[in-house]
Amino acid sequence: DAMVIQNPRYQVTQFGKPVTLSCSQTLNHNVMYWYQQKSSQAPKLLFHYYDKDFNNEADTPDNFQSRRPNTSFCFLDIRSPGLGDAAMYLCATSTLQRPGPQYFGPGTRLLVL
Amino acid sequence: DAKTTQPPSMDCAEGRAANLPCNHSTISGNEYVYWYRQIHSQGPQYIIHGLKNNETNEMASLIITEDRKSSTLILPHATLRDTAVYYCIVTDRGSTLGRLYFGRGTQLTVWP
C-alpha cells in the first residue's frame, strides 16, 4: 500500500547531540511537510518542500533544518537538541491538487536526555 | 495561526451520531474547511473537506452553514474507535500549498 513511512518510531538522543529523523513516501507527492507536536498540544508546522523548494515557517528555530534529496525522501535535522525539543515529529505529504488532503506518517517520538 | 474555534471536549454514546461543531467566522471566500482526526499516539488522519456545499464520504458528513461561518462534522454511528482529537482547519489550498495550522481541536470520547 502507498504510504508515508517514518523511521525510527522512537529516537533517543543526548542534549546537544545532532539527530536526524527520516521520512519516506511511496505516494510520489510533490509536497512534503514536517510538523512538531509537543505533549498535549496540536501539531505545529515547521517547514515544507514543494519539490526541491524549501519553505520555512517564520517561527521555526534555526536549530531545525531539512533536506530533501529526492521526491521520496525528506529528513529533519536537529543540530543541537535541547530538552524543549522533545516531541513527536510528524511528516506529511500532499499533491498540488486543489484541494487535496495531507497524508501523515505515524510520527517519530524524540526523547532528549 | 488557527482560524477556528472548537469545544475542547465532547462525549458520545456508541452507535449514536456524533456532531462536532466548528466556528470559522473569519473564513474567506477561497478557503476550504478541512477535518482531520488524531487517535492517540498516531499521525493525524484526513476525514473530509468542503468549500460551501455539504459533503459526505464513507467516514463522515460535513455540513457548512450558508454564510460559511461555521460547520459541523457528523459521524453517523460512532464507535469506540472514533475516540480521538478532531481538528477543524481552514486553509487556502492554492496560495499556501495547503499548509495546515492546527487549533486545539475537540477530544471526542465515545462511551460503550
Side-chain angles (χ1 to χ4, degrees):
Chain A
D1 289 341
M3 60 177 62
V4 181
I5 302 161
Q6 291 188 249
N7 285 309
R9 295 293 311 276
Y10 299 90
Q11 176 74 56
V12 181
T13 190
Q14 293 178 337
F15 182 93
K17 183 175 181 180
V19 65
T20 295
L21 309 181
S22 70
C23 176
S24 64
Q25 55 135 336
T26 60
L27 298 161
N28 204 34
H29 285 170
N30 299 92
V31 193
M32 295 186 77
Y33 311 80
W34 279 104
Y35 294 83
Q36 178 192 60
Q37 186 173 24
K38 295 186 177 181
S39 180
S40 301
Q41 296 184 19
K44 180 179 182 298
L45 182 64
L46 294 174
F47 27 60
H48 73 276
Y49 273 94
Y50 164 40
D51 288 334
K52 283 192 173 291
D53 292 334
F54 177 73
N55 298 272
N56 203 26
E57 292 297 302
D59 57 354
T60 298
D62 293 340
N63 197 27
F64 291 87
Q65 297 181 340
S66 185
R67 295 170 284 135
R68 189 178 186 186
N70 54 52
T71 300
S72 300
F73 285 88
C74 195
F75 300 98
L76 170 62
D77 300 310
I78 308 176
R79 291 191 298 181
S80 181
L83 298 179
D85 296 326
M88 174 79 87
Y89 289 89
L90 295 159
C91 174
T93 73
S94 74
T95 67
L96 293 178
Q97 176 190 359
R98 292 190 186 201
Q102 288 188 20
Y103 297 89
F104 285 81
T108 294
R109 186 168 296 280
L110 177 68
L111 179 63
V112 181
L113 300 178
Chain B
D1 290 335
K3 300 180 181 180
T4 62
T5 304
Q6 299 176 253
S9 63
M10 294 184 66
D11 293 343
C12 179
E14 188 176 22
R16 305 297 295 268
N19 298 295
L20 292 92
C22 180
N23 287 324
H24 32 80
S25 58
T26 61
I27 192 170
S28 61
N30 55 354
E31 287 182 317
Y32 288 80
V33 180
Y34 287 80
W35 283 83
Y36 286 77
R37 72 181 183 184
Q38 188 173 25
I39 296 170
H40 183 63
S41 295
Q42 297 183 19
Q45 176 191 23
Y46 165 79
I47 302 173
I48 198 167
H49 69 271
L51 184 62
K52 48 187 169 183
N53 297 322
N54 298 337
E55 302 288 344
T56 295
N57 63 20
E58 65 279 4
M59 291 182 68
S61 295
L62 174 60
I63 308 298
I64 302 175
T65 58
E66 191 170 345
D67 63 6
R68 301 211 322 126
K69 293 185 177 182
S70 66
S71 61
T72 301
L73 178 75
I74 301 172
L75 308 179
H77 306 287
T79 70
L80 300 179
R81 287 184 293 181
D82 292 323
T83 293
V85 179
Y86 286 76
Y87 295 102
C88 168
I89 304 166
V90 297
T91 186
D92 174 1
R93 177 75 190 148
S95 64
T96 63
L97 281 179
R99 285 174 292 184
L100 299 178
Y101 298 103
F102 288 79
R104 292 185 173 273
T106 296
Q107 171 66 60
L108 174 68
T109 302
V110 181
W111 299 97

